[in-house]
Amino acid sequence: MKKIINNKLFKILLFTLFITLCISINNIVKAAYKDGNNIKINIGEKYKISTSSNVVKWTSSTSGKVSVDKTGIITGVVASRSPITITATLANGNTEEYYVTVLAKPFTSSSYTFDQNDSEYIYINNDGYDNVSFSIDNPSIAKITNQSNSSATLLGIKPGSTTLKVTTETGTYETKITINSTFYFNESEYDLQSGEDKYIYLSNGFSNYEWSIDNPDIASLELSSDYSMSSRLIVAKKSGTATITVKNNLGQVAKTKVRVYVPYTSLSFTQSSYSVYLGSTLKLTTKGTPSGASAKLYYKHYGYDYYSDQSCCTISSNGILTPKKAGTITVEVWDENYNCYDECIVYIKVPYFNKKTYSIYKNKSTKIKLTGANPSTKWSSSNTSIATVDNNGNVRALKAGTVKITANTGGYRLSTTVVVSNPKLSKTSLKVGAGKTTTLKVKGGTGKVKWQSSNKKVAKVNSNGKIVTLKPGKATITATVSGVKLKCNVNVKKPSMSKSKTIIAKDSYRLKVNYYYGKVKWKSSNSNIVRVSASGKITGVNTGTATITAIIKGGKKFKCKVKVKANKVSYYVNTNAYDYSYGVPPCRLSKVYYDGNKVIANMYVINTRSSTAQKFNYITIQLRNFITGKTIAEKTFYNVKLNIAPYKSKKITFKFTGSNVKDKKSILNYGVSLSYRYYYTYKY
């Protein structure tokens, strides 16, 4: 059955191809004339030579005038009065010859125009045509008064257009005939200012005329001073247009328009500058006096110099600016009397998206803002299964993913990225103690949220997402919204506290019972070593070890062993004198610490010279907290003995007491900075 259908389909296609080929060949045959072996063909037209035998080769004696292809189709290339020989070589070795004359197409022009009542001679290219005949479609407009084998004489009857045809051996050819009226006004429109008058004239001297005007309130017609029937005086009255009609004694009608306008006495743009985006148009608005002014306005634009940027836009006669490319231009306006003039600046800008990327949740909508979009902007989405967009740029998110939203505005294609996310919880995990209240929020969901706890003994949740933890353990809180389940893992921890801590004397640290939210009572085993406040703040008093106890509701106790280290800072000092520049002895801190209310500073003094450093006549030392910049101690020491051999160093101890100690509670372990100035003596 399938094979029969296929055979039928093949036969239909074959028949269609045969009919098409026949029509094509028939069309080619119509373009030429054949008499025996003599053929006439026009330039650019084709003809298929048919033979009764099998042709194996076609040749042309002059292919530059008549070409022939391998199927026997000849083409007229150049007019040739002398026949060109086309030879067909047959399969049996014999040849057949055909003699082709190439003729120019008859009409030398595609149209002819002349006046009514005038005669016109229409000549054709007849260099080989034997039988020529002319005809005209509408003899009421123009008629043929005489014809020959090479021309036709036409007489214009009345205004209008018709078609003249010539038929030759090779086909029928046409040209357009247009007849102009000899009865018309010298101008197609007359422009007058209100109160002005002007004479108007007809084109010929017929004696009988019938004049009329359709709107005499705009302008009136008065006889001319010489009472001529072919002219009138127009008197402009008020702004507007009117049509003047004249009929002559032959029944011919001539019409012209009268435009009466009020001139401007002042003219300006309504704005000094305008902005327009590519793909949109801008109406340039003007204002002027008097309020009823109706003179025509003319516009011109240019760039930085008068002749540049002419191609960036076009401006119509009614002030509609159409931008072509971005840029800044100046636009001029003036009235038709050149009495008034003004100019403005126009900024032509490229449209743009206000954001490069938009984020939206599933099943939500957002509007993509395209600054400079025109009303006919076309929107599209690169993946409509993720997000769709309507003709106003409103995007609807369907599922998680990323799409490109494209706007085609005024021939410009612009794209922005839209990222679609599924709804999510404000938190996906919680690590808290019992008795803690936390509220979860759903971001991006639509509709009502359903809340559920996997273990209500550990944590429960209400319809608003408020979680209350009850006892140590684990539970999963699930929020179902928009068909999506969102989960938060809750881990309720037992109360705990650090079991040990090391601090610096004079330093403080706040202990706390983790995962406990009630009141805590604090105690120290030795307040001379570590003090503890009611809020759990511990402060190192002296070096040593003490235990801090935290007691919570129910009497449960947590202990932390606190070790207090001495409040001192030590520095590594390179005492190689050759590492320092030759000259004054540099000083470097080695160790700083508190000794009761005193501050002790050990310093290395390095002798970089070849003589013995004998003493500091005086040295002023300032120690500062490296973090806060606050002064710890400051003092000037006199006649400090050094006796440091050449290129050696010595550790010198400086003690600060009483008022020389500026800060008795500074944390030295954070770092101490040193500054000093001195006068010294060398022994040579």
Side-chain angles (χ1 to χ4, degrees), residues 51 53-59 70 87-94:
T51 65
S53 302
N54 185 21
V55 178
V56 295
K57 185 179 180 181
W58 290 92
T59 57
K70 62 183 180 180
T87 302
T89 303
L90 306 179
N92 58 14
N94 295 330

Side-chain angles (χ1 to χ4, degrees), residues 535-590:
S535 62
K537 180 180 178 181
I538 58 174
T539 302
V541 179
N542 290 298
T543 57
T545 303
T547 300
I548 303 299
T549 303
I551 306 171
I552 64 173
K553 185 179 180 180
K556 186 173 179 60
K557 296 180 180 180
F558 301 91
K559 296 182 181 295
C560 177
K561 187 176 182 180
V562 179
K563 181 179 180 180
V564 180
K565 294 173 63 178
N567 185 15
K568 64 181 178 179
V569 61
S570 298
Y571 296 96
Y572 168 76
V573 177
N574 183 356
T575 58
N576 189 341
Y578 295 100
D579 291 338
Y580 301 94
S581 299
Y582 179 84
V584 298
C587 301
R588 294 292 181 264
L589 276 179
S590 172

Side-chain angles (χ1 to χ4, degrees), residues 52 78 346 495 624 631:
S52 57
V78 178
V346 177
R624 294 187 303 275
T631 299

Side-chain angles (χ1 to χ4, degrees), residues 519-645:
K519 187 175 181 179
V520 180
K521 184 178 180 181
W522 298 91
K523 290 173 60 178
S524 172
S525 64
N526 189 341
S527 297
N528 291 324
I529 303 297
V530 182
R531 291 197 308 267
V532 62
S533 70
S535 62
K537 180 180 178 181
I538 58 174
T539 302
V541 179
N542 290 298
T543 57
T545 303
T547 300
I548 303 299
T549 303
I551 306 171
I552 64 173
K553 185 179 180 180
K556 186 173 179 60
K557 296 180 180 180
F558 301 91
K559 296 182 181 295
C560 177
K561 187 176 182 180
V562 179
K563 181 179 180 180
V564 180
K565 294 173 63 178
N567 185 15
K568 64 181 178 179
V569 61
S570 298
Y571 296 96
Y572 168 76
V573 177
N574 183 356
T575 58
N576 189 341
Y578 295 100
D579 291 338
Y580 301 94
S581 299
Y582 179 84
V584 298
C587 301
R588 294 292 181 264
L589 276 179
S590 172
K591 185 177 181 180
V592 180
Y593 59 95
Y594 283 99
D595 182 6
N597 291 327
K598 295 181 290 186
V599 173
I600 310 299
N602 292 332
M603 280 195 327
Y604 275 93
V605 181
I606 301 100
N607 184 3
T608 61
R609 289 188 171 186
S610 59
S611 302
T612 300
Q614 188 176 13
K615 68 175 179 177
F616 285 130
N617 296 67
Y618 75 85
I619 180 170
T620 301
I621 300 174
Q622 184 186 55
L623 304 175
R624 294 187 303 275
N625 187 301
F626 184 79
I627 301 299
T628 64
K630 188 175 180 181
T631 299
I632 299 170
E634 184 175 11
K635 182 180 178 181
T636 299
F637 299 88
Y638 295 94
N639 296 314
V640 179
K641 294 182 179 181
L642 298 175
N643 294 321
I644 304 173

Side-chain angles (χ1 to χ4, degrees), residues 378-428:
K378 301 296 182 184
W379 296 83
S380 62
S381 168
S382 63
N383 191 335
T384 54
S385 66
I386 294 175
T388 60
V389 61
D390 65 15
N391 288 332
N392 296 315
N394 295 308
V395 175
R396 176 69 177 173
L398 302 178
K399 69 177 183 180
T402 301
V403 295
K404 288 285 186 183
I405 300 298
T406 300
N408 193 328
T409 179
Y412 287 85
R413 287 176 61 84
L414 304 166
S415 295
T416 188
T417 300
V418 173
V419 179
V420 180
S421 303
N422 284 321
K424 61 182 181 180
L425 283 175
S426 54
K427 292 183 179 180
T428 57

Side-chain angles (χ1 to χ4, degrees), residues 283-304:
K283 177 67 172 76
L284 296 167
T285 53
T286 59
K287 58 185 177 180
T289 57
S291 59
S294 57
K296 290 180 180 178
L297 300 180
Y298 299 96
Y299 299 89
K300 182 180 180 62
H301 65 277
Y302 56 91
Y304 291 109

Side-chain angles (χ1 to χ4, degrees), residues 24 28 46-49 55-60 63 66-77 86-89:
S24 175
I28 294 173
K46 299 179 183 295
Y47 178 72
K48 175 76 168 71
I49 301 176
V55 178
V56 295
K57 185 179 180 181
W58 290 92
T59 57
S60 170
S63 59
V66 179
S67 64
V68 61
D69 68 8
K70 62 183 180 180
T71 64
I73 296 177
I74 60 173
T75 302
V77 180
I86 300 298
T87 302
T89 303

Side-chain angles (χ1 to χ4, degrees), residues 145-180:
T145 59
N146 190 24
Q147 60 177 302
S148 67
N149 216 39
S150 60
S151 67
T153 305
L154 273 63
L155 176 65
I157 305 300
K158 68 177 183 179
S161 296
T162 186
T163 301
L164 175 66
K165 298 178 180 178
V166 61
T167 302
T168 71
E169 302 102 308
T170 59
T172 298
Y173 304 89
E174 299 179 351
T175 188
K176 184 180 180 182
I177 303 298
T178 301
I179 307 301
N180 289 331

